[in-house]
Amino acid sequence: MRILDTHLHLIYPDRFSYPWLSGAPAINKPWHVESYWQEAAPLGIEAALHMEVDVAEPQIAAETEFVLGLDRIVGAIANGRPEHADFERHLERMRDLGKVKGIRRLLQFQPAELSQTQTFVDNIRLLPRYGMSFDICVKSHELMLVPPLIRSCPETQFILDHCGNPKIADGEWESWTTRMERVAELPNVVCKVSGILANVDETWTVDAIRPYVEFVIETFGWDRVVWGSDNPVVTLFADLTKWVNATREIVSDASETEQEKLFWRNAERIYGV
């Protein structure tokens, strides 16, 4: 089964500044495309979308332009600041680069009001005009912020990253499932099966994460899920190989068509690859 990775982070400290990495020493080092493909290609991953890595704001455009020239990177989800009045100028520049499929502005740990301002909403409404979607990344306790934004932008395609970041190591379930059901009710959002292994601990097993993945697929449906590696964040408690194999095991009883939707068909359609 071929895979299109919708969530690959590449880190080039010699080129860009990543202020947040000072607080993540385990992955605060180079993660280049060559080393990724060395592990990814034998797993059946044939292409990848690069996900912005929250570089210093003046470097956002440069990061996007750089990664689009790398091996088998078929598109990028670029960083952006929809809270700024001149956001459309950024969209124009991203469009001119070609192959920018979407925008992400990290909302996790940001002030709750950031995504609720009229400027933010109006700018997210611009994305369909540029053929772009919006990736939402929040922690599970912030999921209540998601439905108002999605409802306010009915023509925009949203992708909820990392299954909504359930706190698996803490056994979080009911609060997460309740909030995820409210998100899934909205037709213009899909969920990315990624980031699960950043929310576990060293004792994780496939059976421990299975209910979370299965819940997302059941709640959103096979037509509204995509797969992402979240490499190198996935290496905090596992590695790319273990995550691919775990996902394959969890969906092994699904039909070939259903698995194709998760691993590549939906991604090609939703991101316009």
Side-chain angles (χ1 to χ4, degrees):
M1 180 70 64
R2 63 183 290 246
I3 298 175
L4 169 56
D5 184 355
T6 67
H7 207 98
L8 169 63
H9 300 295
L10 295 171
I11 298 174
Y12 287 79
D14 59 327
R15 288 178 172 268
F16 305 109
S17 173
Y18 308 87
W20 66 276
L21 277 177
S22 62
I27 57 173
N28 190 4
K29 59 182 180 180
W31 295 87
H32 292 175
V33 72
E34 293 82 6
S35 59
Y36 169 75
W37 286 119
Q38 190 172 22
E39 182 177 9
L43 296 170
I45 300 176
E46 296 183 358
L49 293 170
H50 182 267
M51 174 57 73
E52 60 89 16
V53 199
D54 203 20
V55 297
E57 187 170 342
Q59 299 178 335
I60 288 175
E63 178 199 37
T64 307
E65 184 173 11
F66 172 71
V67 298
L68 285 173
L70 298 177
D71 183 31
R72 285 172 277 182
I73 302 301
V74 295
I77 297 96
N79 204 332
R81 295 291 185 268
E83 67 268 30
H84 292 175
D86 62 349
F87 178 68
E88 189 164 12
R89 290 177 56 192
H90 178 65
L91 291 183
E92 292 169 351
R93 185 172 183 183
M94 294 300 98
R95 177 195 57 197
D96 292 345
L97 288 177
K99 296 197 297 183
V100 174
K101 305 301 182 180
I103 297 292
R104 184 172 80 161
R105 171 40 160 141
L106 278 173
L107 299 180
Q108 62 185 28
F109 303 132
Q110 297 296 323
E113 60 271 18
L114 176 70
S115 63
Q116 309 301 312
T117 68
Q118 194 59 50
T119 296
F120 196 101
V121 170
D122 288 344
N123 280 330
I124 297 302
R125 287 174 178 167
L126 294 172
L127 290 171
R129 184 184 306 174
Y130 292 86
M132 298 179 193
S133 57
F134 188 72
D135 268 63
I136 299 180
C137 190
V138 295
K139 295 300 185 182
S140 60
H141 64 275
E142 300 167 320
L143 278 167
M144 72 287 292
L145 300 174
V146 174
L149 177 61
I150 296 174
R151 279 195 297 265
S152 297
C153 308
E155 303 303 319
T156 302
Q157 175 67 65
F158 292 88
I159 300 95
L160 178 64
D161 292 347
H162 305 333
C163 298
N165 280 303
K167 300 177 179 69
I168 300 173
D170 296 335
E172 181 182 30
W173 182 257
E174 290 186 8
S175 59
W176 170 74
T177 56
T178 299
R179 291 167 180 163
M180 289 291 283
E181 286 170 346
R182 299 291 80 79
V183 175
E185 290 172 353
L186 303 168
N188 56 320
V189 59
V190 303
C191 192
K192 188 174 294 186
V193 178
S194 63
I196 284 286
L197 294 185
N199 295 295
V200 298
D201 58 27
E202 293 86 352
T203 66
W204 76 274
T205 63
V206 173
D207 286 340
I209 66 172
R210 181 188 300 273
Y212 295 88
V213 175
E214 290 182 340
F215 173 83
V216 163
I217 295 173
E218 179 180 352
T219 304
F220 284 82
W222 286 102
D223 290 321
R224 296 172 61 202
V225 287
V226 296
W227 185 90
S229 71
D230 198 26
N231 202 68
V233 182
V234 70
T235 64
L236 292 173
F237 297 108
D239 57 29
L240 176 61
T241 299
K242 290 178 181 176
W243 171 227
V244 170
N245 290 339
T247 315
R248 290 190 188 279
E249 181 177 340
I250 291 169
V251 301
S252 60
D253 290 336
S255 70
E256 182 175 355
T257 298
E258 290 169 334
Q259 293 184 48
E260 287 178 350
K261 288 180 177 181
L262 171 65
F263 286 119
W264 63 274
R265 287 193 184 276
N266 291 344
E268 288 189 348
R269 169 176 53 85
I270 291 162
Y271 282 110
V273 176

